[in-house]
Amino acid sequence: MKKFDANSNQKVWPRLFLSPPHMGGEELRFVKEAFESNYIAPLGPMVDAFEREFAEYTGIGQCAAVSSGTAAMHLALRCLGVGPGDEVFASTLTFIGSVTPIVFQGAVPVFIDSDRESWNMDPDLLEEELERCARAGKLPKAVVPTDLYGQCCNMPRILEICDRYGVPVVVDAAEAVGAYYLAQRRQGAKGEGQIEKNSLGGLGGLRRHTDWMHAGKGAKAAVFSFNGNKIITTSGGGMLASDDPELIEYARFLSQQARDPAPHYEHSTIGYNYRMSNIVAAIGRGQIRVLDERVRRRREIFDLYREALSDLPGITFMPEPDWSRSNRWLTVMTVDPERAGVSREEIRIALEKENIESRPVWKPMHCQPVFGASRKDAKAQRGGHSCRVVRGEVAEGLFERGLCLPSGTAMTSGDLERVIGIVRGCFQAAA
């Protein structure tokens, strides 16, 4: 419903956000229990329960609830001994919180381009660069692929390549809670053993089927985010998950200021204040109970956009390989301006004029001023950090053409119709 703007004497639509929080109802019950127990500060029974329930949902053995996804990534790299002079391979098409912990540890990021099939780290480029580094006698300390916009990277292939060289994988699954990948066959394989996603009875069927694994499962560690715009949220917060109990135990130790066992405060190493609060975890417990429904609705929203807009010239949508079951955290389309007659940016501005938030695809890390691998003078002019990039043209093209559309699970059919109508109107105006 439109609201009256006293300044302009016009009625305006309320802001339609890209991916706002959506509470399920049980969050207040858990928060009330936390208040009644007087566990308000970090740690407490809600944190313990949230870690346990998240491990049960994902099938990953051990979980440590922390203050953010970036904190979880920092702890993972610290636990793996990443330090000054090391290299860490990472997806270039990602959010910066995926790679800043590499810099925190004094290491150098090596940004790997995307493939066109999934938009995630290109396994072929990864394999080529690992082979080159092995010949040079300097392998990376870790590989950090991102599960972009809720779509799993090609985990079986990446794990097989990295295992060959003894390099651990830390998956940035921050956007991929509720996403799955097919573990028992390689990307592109056909025929025997192929499993139809739609025949498994929804997410419950995926969790029960041994060939399907939750995002992050199988890696040395996986990082998840519960930021306010994620598919489920705790208002802020993250989770570090691993099947290695010693890694999680050490991460918990580091996340609590690395306090040694003693009656006084004793510290033999530097730690961090990274643990999740009991109140935040209470919200998470309520959110995880509606996660399956949130994924179902996000996928439905994606399908509605695709059905309504795919006939437009130059419009394509983020692909989903047959080995992936994305949570469709955000619906992302690409716009070819030569075929469409209109650019991604013109569509974004048209939506913004109607108080609708949309956003370009992540700007590749190798193009960011703080790294500036694509500009010879970036480091001198902006104090940029050292990095390397392996190719990059696929990610650059996706950034130039890609647009994220409003995808919140509380969107109404009227909200969707507004967005679709404005996008279609851009094409009509350009015709």
Side-chain angles (χ1 to χ4, degrees):
M1 180 179 295
K2 286 187 175 181
K3 296 182 180 179
F4 186 75
D5 183 354
N7 294 322
S8 63
N9 292 321
Q10 293 180 343
K11 289 183 178 180
V12 296
W13 290 100
R15 181 72 164 167
L16 183 57
F17 291 100
L18 193 68
S19 180
H22 186 187
M23 296 294 103
E26 284 200 77
E27 296 86 358
L28 279 176
R29 175 170 68 88
F30 289 114
V31 170
K32 185 173 182 290
E33 287 180 19
F35 269 88
E36 289 174 347
S37 71
N38 205 35
Y39 277 99
I40 305 300
L43 304 181
M46 289 293 169
V47 175
D48 296 339
F50 187 36
E51 290 175 342
R52 182 174 63 252
E53 290 166 3
F54 195 81
E56 290 171 355
Y57 186 95
T58 61
I60 304 175
Q62 304 290 325
C63 292
V66 293
S67 56
S68 68
T70 303
M73 182 63 72
H74 191 193
L75 290 168
L77 297 182
R78 171 78 184 271
C79 288
L80 293 177
V82 173
D86 292 329
E87 286 190 338
V88 175
F89 290 7
S91 301
T92 193
L93 194 60
T94 190
F95 176 62
I96 197 166
S98 176
V99 300
T100 47
I102 301 171
V103 179
F104 296 167
Q105 291 301 106
V108 176
V110 177
F111 298 122
I112 309 293
D113 199 5
S114 303
D115 64 28
R116 298 187 186 279
E117 184 180 20
S118 70
W119 296 9
N120 287 311
M121 181 182 285
D122 187 328
D124 291 336
L125 294 181
L126 171 65
E127 185 173 35
E128 291 172 9
E129 188 62 14
L130 281 175
E131 288 174 356
R132 191 194 66 78
C133 289
R135 290 194 301 269
K138 185 174 172 57
L139 286 166
K141 200 75 172 184
V143 170
V144 181
T146 293
D147 291 339
L148 189 71
Y149 296 123
Q151 178 150 278
C152 294
C153 61
N154 190 349
M155 277 282 284
R157 178 94 189 281
I158 289 174
L159 289 174
E160 186 273 325
I161 293 167
C162 291
D163 286 349
R164 202 186 308 159
Y165 296 98
V167 178
V169 175
V170 179
V171 177
D172 173 14
E175 303 163 3
V177 179
Y180 289 80
Y181 72 94
L182 188 54
Q184 296 303 315
R185 70 184 177 89
R186 291 291 187 82
Q187 177 177 341
K190 303 293 181 183
E192 186 177 353
Q194 187 165 341
I195 299 169
E196 292 294 332
K197 286 176 283 187
N198 294 334
S199 70
L200 293 174
L203 290 175
L206 289 170
R207 284 199 294 276
R208 288 191 299 272
H209 202 290
T210 56
D211 285 343
W212 286 90
M213 289 190 178
H214 189 276
K217 175 70 174 176
K220 182 66 174 178
V223 168
F224 299 92
S225 172
F226 310 117
N227 193 29
N229 64 355
K230 295 300 186 290
I231 195 162
I232 60 170
T233 181
T234 58
S235 76
M239 192 77 75
L240 179 62
S242 175
D243 287 317
D244 183 346
E246 292 183 0
L247 185 147
I248 294 298
E249 182 181 3
Y250 188 50
R252 285 201 182 105
F253 168 72
L254 292 173
S255 73
Q256 296 166 236
Q257 299 288 17
R259 182 183 175 185
D260 295 330
H264 55 280
Y265 283 87
E266 183 88 354
H267 306 275
S268 56
T269 190
I270 297 296
Y272 317 97
N273 184 16
Y274 279 172
R275 283 295 258 156
M276 180 179 283
S277 85
N278 205 51
I279 299 299
V280 165
I283 300 171
R285 292 191 68 196
Q287 285 275 280
I288 202 168
R289 282 157 173 75
V290 296
L291 176 54
D292 286 358
E293 172 59 24
R294 297 293 181 261
V295 174
R296 186 201 65 77
R297 178 57 177 160
R298 297 269 178 163
R299 291 181 61 84
E300 182 180 71
I301 288 168
F302 179 93
D303 289 341
L304 289 168
Y305 275 130
R306 183 171 55 184
E307 290 168 9
L309 298 173
S310 288
D311 65 307
L312 295 173
I315 292 289
T316 58
F317 285 82
M318 185 176 184
E320 182 180 63
D322 60 7
W323 45 265
S324 171
R325 211 274 190 178
S326 173
N327 67 14
R328 296 299 192 190
W329 170 51
L330 295 180
T331 292
V332 189
M333 68 178 189
T334 61
V335 184
D336 181 346
E338 292 186 2
R339 293 181 57 209
V342 63
S343 70
R344 173 263 284 167
E345 191 61 7
E346 288 171 317
I347 295 173
R348 188 193 68 79
I349 291 171
L351 290 167
E352 186 60 39
K353 285 180 179 177
E354 297 298 323
N355 210 21
I356 296 172
E357 182 185 23
S358 60
R359 187 179 298 162
V361 166
W362 299 124
K363 185 176 184 178
M365 289 298 103
H366 71 273
C367 296
Q368 295 288 349
V370 73
F371 295 113
S374 62
R375 295 179 53 207
K376 293 180 181 179
D377 61 344
K379 184 171 182 179
Q381 288 189 1
R382 298 176 182 258
H385 293 273
S386 297
C387 73
R388 293 197 296 110
V389 59
V390 180
R391 302 286 289 271
E393 61 271 17
V394 174
E396 290 171 12
L398 291 170
F399 169 62
E400 290 170 1
R401 300 186 304 273
L403 185 68
C404 304
L405 298 174
S407 306
T409 47
M411 288 179 71
T412 65
S413 58
D415 293 332
L416 282 163
E417 288 170 5
R418 279 184 65 213
V419 177
I420 291 165
I422 293 166
V423 174
R424 296 193 71 89
C426 292
F427 282 77
Q428 292 167 3

